[in-house]
Amino acid sequence: MTANPTRLGRPKSIDVEEFFADPEFSGASISPDGTRIAYLAPENGRTNVWIRGLDEEHQDAVCVTHDTRRGIHTYHWTDDPRWLLYEQDTDGNEDWHLYRVDLDAPGEPALDLTPLPPGSRVVGVQPLKSIPGSVLVTMNRRPLYFDLFRIDVATGETTVHVEEDDPAGAHLVDRDGRAAFYSVLADDGNYEFHAVDPDTGHKRLLRRQGGPEHPLGVPVQRVTPDGQGLLVGAYQDSDDLRLVRIDRTNGEQTVVAALDGHSLCTLGSLASVLPQPVLTSRRTGEVIAARFVGDRPIIKPVDPHFAEVHAALSELSDGVLHSVSSDESERLWVVSFIHDREPGTTWFYDHKTGESRLLFRPYPQLDPAELAPMTSVRFPARDGLPLHAFLTLPVGVEPERLPLVLIVHGGPWAHDTWSYDEAVQFLANRGYAVLQVNFRGSTGYGKRHITGAIGELAGKMHDDLIDAVDWAVEQGYADPDRVGIYGGSYGGYAALVGVTVTPLRFAAAVDYVGISNLANFMRTLPPFVRPHMTNSWYRYVGDPADPAQEADMLARSPITMVDRIRTPLLIAQGANDARVVQEESDNIVESLRGRGIPVEYLVAEDEGHGFANHENQVRLYRSVEKHFAEHLGGRSSEVSGQRNLDGLR
């Protein structure tokens, strides 16, 4: 057993308010001309976009957005220094719109460039080099079809650029906006890539690529700047996911970036704020590096100039590069780092002079020395499948027979990674060992690992979680009588499976926006999602339209096993959740309460698939703190009893 290297005495109990405060600074990037920095910082109680000169401080900056209802997390520079764009939804419903800010008049209200009807959303924004002042925006004005539109940023004029004829297909354009390739999910579950004739629109099949190993679609799908190649993630003849180039002429694949024993990281396909699988040059559009999964994320440069830059940047932090931006010349860089205890440190670097300076720390109120290291561990599942996990042990406590919280990631086609996680650190600060296991079905550990989850919800996927707990007990870290389970989305489903399939294994559970009925969950997904579900929910779980498959899905659904629940349960749900509708949580709560089984239920009326607003996060984790302290025996902060649950029920 390895002792915690930073154990210098038990740290103070850090208040929930500090752990879940909005970052003071985050999301920084440099303008194309290299004269300004944009970043996110609080204003009016919400995260907004700020602009400052390259050599200015925050007190000199100007807040250019004025959202008071929900924080802004995604913005875009344009090729005109007057305009900035950002994305926003309504109370977490994920109906994203694109707004324009006038940097010459930052006090004026933002203009909605995409006044879409309910149920439609923006899912992509990209520059258009061939027509200055324009951007290309992917959105579904037609509910089932995500078409490509050209928007004149100054006037707001919107025209159809490429219209799709198949809800499972998408045209891929080059830097000049010309349709160069076409990608479509075929009826048999294979992904097909076609070359598109720019004059006639004729499609010529280049390559077919299966199938279940790509449950969320083939990652990357980026046209090379010369328009002659398509970059995709592919396994080829390997178990590892690589970055390859499909040639437009003959369909041949050549490897662009690969790392033996490691797969391309695909977390960025889930959300733009997550680490992206490839880094690209602002100047040329070429891929300059790829990100791979490992005990710590691995950045592999593929461009000689960026290899030099990366070597210099690596001297600034002992973390791993997260976000990277440069000016058009690629001389000036603004970058941030992933770290387990010092998250999001953001630096300025001048590659010509070698000058570097720390721009900001997102959470200056937190002392890294008081936070707990995250350690990569591995062990076999009961059937021999290698499992990779992360163990976080509380600082200042002997790592023996501790109360343990098993945190289960969502997706399930995602993965836990070495990084700062406020929930993990919060629980470690309260004296819990925290274990996160990349059960089968998780991405990042090869084709066999992903496809091993087919048909295994509430089966081997759950066995992996139990095997992880058993490993922690056998190693002496965990007290077998004080184990809790906590997860969001699929992880919430896993928590409910934990207290139904293995009702005596966990002493407490938290289900956060989790699925209780697999059939109902699939039926209530947005209609535009369903044409893309062949290799995900339909392949891994089943089709609720088929009576036999629906019966199997119900047998794997916690709602049909609710009478087995004996474990103290806390459930949290966003009222506007478009992925896992509130009915999924309501039904579990109503069934338990109807049988007289106590359950604490928190509903946030202004949230969706997870709580984003600071006050809701604080309320949630005060409840989590109390719940686990009561049933697992961890410590509470001095103010844990002062809970204000207004807006939650």
Side-chain angles (χ1 to χ4, degrees):
M1 194 179 303
T2 303
N4 189 324
T6 64
R7 186 167 288 109
L8 302 175
R10 191 169 189 177
K12 68 178 182 180
S13 177
I14 302 171
D15 186 45
V16 175
E17 290 271 1
E18 293 185 58
F19 270 122
F20 296 95
D22 289 332
E24 290 195 13
F25 306 97
S26 62
S29 65
I30 193 168
S31 62
D33 62 6
T35 63
R36 295 173 294 175
I37 296 172
Y39 57 97
L40 306 173
E43 175 75 356
N44 299 318
R46 292 290 182 262
T47 298
N48 277 281
V49 184
W50 296 67
I51 302 288
R52 77 191 201 201
L54 200 60
D55 297 317
E56 293 181 329
E57 301 295 329
H58 184 57
Q59 59 265 28
D60 306 311
V62 175
C63 185
V64 300
T65 63
H66 309 283
D67 202 307
T68 59
R69 190 170 183 88
R70 193 169 185 81
I72 296 168
H73 299 284
T74 303
Y75 67 86
H76 310 271
W77 291 103
T78 71
D79 58 8
D80 187 326
R82 179 177 176 180
W83 309 115
L84 187 92
L85 308 177
Y86 72 89
E87 298 174 36
Q88 185 59 290
D89 70 347
T90 301
D91 291 342
N93 66 0
E94 299 190 59
D95 285 352
W96 299 102
H97 289 223
L98 184 68
Y99 293 85
R100 187 198 72 195
V101 174
D102 187 346
L103 299 184
D104 289 346
E108 293 297 316
L111 174 67
D112 186 355
L113 294 174
T114 55
L116 296 164
S120 296
R121 61 184 62 175
V122 169
V123 298
V125 180
Q126 56 186 306
L128 181 57
K129 294 286 186 181
S130 60
I131 305 179
S134 296
V135 292
L136 294 177
V137 177
T138 303
M139 54 185 170
N140 61 331
R141 275 184 173 176
R142 300 184 298 157
L144 287 179
Y145 297 85
F146 281 92
D147 301 314
L148 191 61
F149 297 83
R150 179 169 57 84
I151 298 180
D152 185 292
V153 175
T155 66
E157 180 182 359
T158 301
T159 56
V160 176
H161 190 74
V162 178
E163 189 171 77
E164 302 297 346
D165 57 8
D166 186 332
H171 285 81
L172 306 169
V173 300
D174 62 19
R175 292 192 93 197
D176 292 326
R178 294 171 300 192
F181 292 86
Y182 179 72
S183 168
V184 65
L185 175 58
D187 292 340
D188 63 0
N190 279 287
Y191 293 92
E192 295 182 348
F193 299 105
H194 302 250
V196 178
D197 187 300
D199 298 319
T200 66
H202 174 73
K203 303 180 184 74
R204 176 170 50 86
L205 180 63
L206 295 173
R207 180 168 287 274
R208 287 165 55 86
Q209 182 171 321
E213 64 267 34
H214 297 298
L216 298 182
V218 176
V220 184
Q221 297 201 33
R222 180 188 297 268
V223 179
T224 58
D226 62 6
Q228 299 305 303
L230 178 66
L231 301 176
V232 301
Y235 290 97
Q236 295 179 302
D237 56 353
S238 168
D239 193 51
D240 303 325
L241 187 65
R242 303 161 169 170
L243 181 66
V244 305
R245 177 186 181 275
I246 299 175
D247 187 85
R248 176 183 175 81
T249 303
N250 54 28
E252 290 185 359
Q253 287 186 342
T254 55
V255 175
V256 176
L259 199 57
D260 287 345
H262 298 270
S263 283
L264 195 68
C265 177
T266 59
L267 286 178
S269 63
L270 301 175
S272 61
V273 296
L274 293 175
Q276 297 301 301
V278 297
L279 307 178
T280 56
S281 165
R282 174 177 264 169
R283 178 174 56 86
T284 67
E286 297 281 2
V287 171
I288 55 177
R291 186 184 307 272
F292 291 86
V293 175
D295 292 346
R296 290 168 39 134
I298 302 165
I299 303 293
K300 182 171 183 178
V302 297
D303 171 79
H305 173 68
F306 184 73
E308 295 179 6
V309 173
H310 181 255
L313 295 175
S314 297
E315 298 295 320
L316 303 178
S317 169
D318 61 351
V320 178
L321 276 181
H322 175 203
S323 64
V324 175
S325 72
S326 76
D327 66 345
E328 288 281 1
S329 72
E330 296 189 351
R331 168 186 167 180
L332 306 178
W333 298 79
V334 169
V335 302
S336 67
F337 289 88
I338 294 168
H339 199 282
D340 60 344
R341 286 162 290 150
E342 181 70 56
T345 53
T346 301
W347 291 77
F348 167 81
Y349 169 68
D350 185 329
H351 190 56
K352 181 177 180 180
T353 66
E355 174 197 356
S356 64
R357 66 178 185 272
L358 179 66
L359 292 177
F360 44 71
R361 297 176 57 223
Y363 304 101
Q365 76 276 17
L366 298 176
D367 181 355
E370 295 182 336
L371 301 179
M374 177 182 282
T375 304
S376 174
V377 296
R378 59 191 67 187
F379 42 82
R382 65 189 67 179
D383 64 357
L385 183 74
L387 297 177
H388 299 256
F390 294 91
L391 177 67
T392 303
L393 298 173
V395 175
V397 179
E398 285 302 315
E400 298 177 358
R401 291 184 65 86
L402 297 169
L404 178 138
V405 177
L406 177 71
I407 297 184
V408 188
H409 69 69
W413 304 287
H415 64 266
D416 286 311
T417 183
W418 182 84
S419 64
Y420 176 80
D421 185 311
E422 60 266 28
V424 170
Q425 291 295 337
F426 165 65
L427 291 169
N429 181 260
R430 296 302 188 260
Y432 302 99
V434 181
L435 185 61
Q436 301 163 275
V437 59
N438 285 311
F439 49 87
R440 70 193 68 206
S442 303
T443 59
Y445 293 96
K447 177 166 58 176
R448 176 189 172 209
H449 193 86
I450 292 177
T451 57
I454 294 173
E456 294 298 341
L457 270 75
K460 291 181 179 180
M461 295 171 75
H462 180 61
D463 291 344
D464 292 347
L465 302 182
I466 300 301
D467 292 348
V469 171
D470 289 345
W471 171 86
V473 171
E474 291 165 4
Q475 296 298 308
Y477 294 120
D479 180 343
D481 297 324
R482 294 191 294 161
V483 177
I485 185 169
Y486 164 52
S489 192
Y490 171 83
Y493 164 81
L496 293 175
V497 169
V499 299
T500 52
V501 173
T502 49
L504 302 180
R505 193 66 185 86
F506 298 99
V510 178
D511 157 29
Y512 182 27
V513 298
I515 302 162
S516 65
N517 182 326
L518 290 166
N520 184 68
F521 158 71
M522 290 174 62
R523 287 192 177 103
T524 55
L525 285 169
F528 56 76
V529 174
R530 295 170 196 164
H532 304 274
M533 290 168 54
T534 302
N535 290 319
S536 56
W537 294 105
Y538 291 150
R539 184 69 178 89
Y540 280 71
V541 186
D543 185 346
D546 181 304
Q549 294 182 47
E550 181 185 26
D552 181 68
M553 295 166 70
L554 290 174
R556 298 172 186 271
S557 296
I559 193 64
T560 63
M561 299 178 277
V562 71
D563 59 334
R564 301 180 187 177
I565 295 178
R566 300 292 184 270
T567 307
L569 183 60
L570 167 65
I571 295 179
Q573 177 71 44
N576 304 308
D577 196 333
R579 304 188 190 199
V580 179
V581 296
Q582 185 178 328
E583 181 184 1
E584 290 296 303
S585 293
D586 286 348
N587 288 342
I588 283 282
V589 172
E590 289 170 7
S591 179
L592 288 173
R593 288 178 175 171
R595 293 170 42 235
I597 304 296
V599 56
E600 185 173 6
Y601 187 27
L602 312 181
V603 178
E605 302 294 342
D606 58 347
E607 297 284 6
H609 196 58
F611 296 179
N613 289 335
H614 166 65
E615 63 274 14
N616 292 329
Q617 288 204 347
V618 168
R619 291 164 182 153
L620 168 63
Y621 284 101
R622 287 209 191 285
S623 294
V624 170
E625 176 183 40
K626 179 173 182 280
H627 185 72
F628 282 147
E630 180 179 349
H631 301 292
L632 302 182
R635 66 174 177 168
S636 297
S637 69
E638 294 77 5
V639 297
S640 63
Q642 302 172 16
R643 295 187 300 146
N644 175 5
L645 297 181
D646 293 343
L648 304 177
R649 66 175 184 272

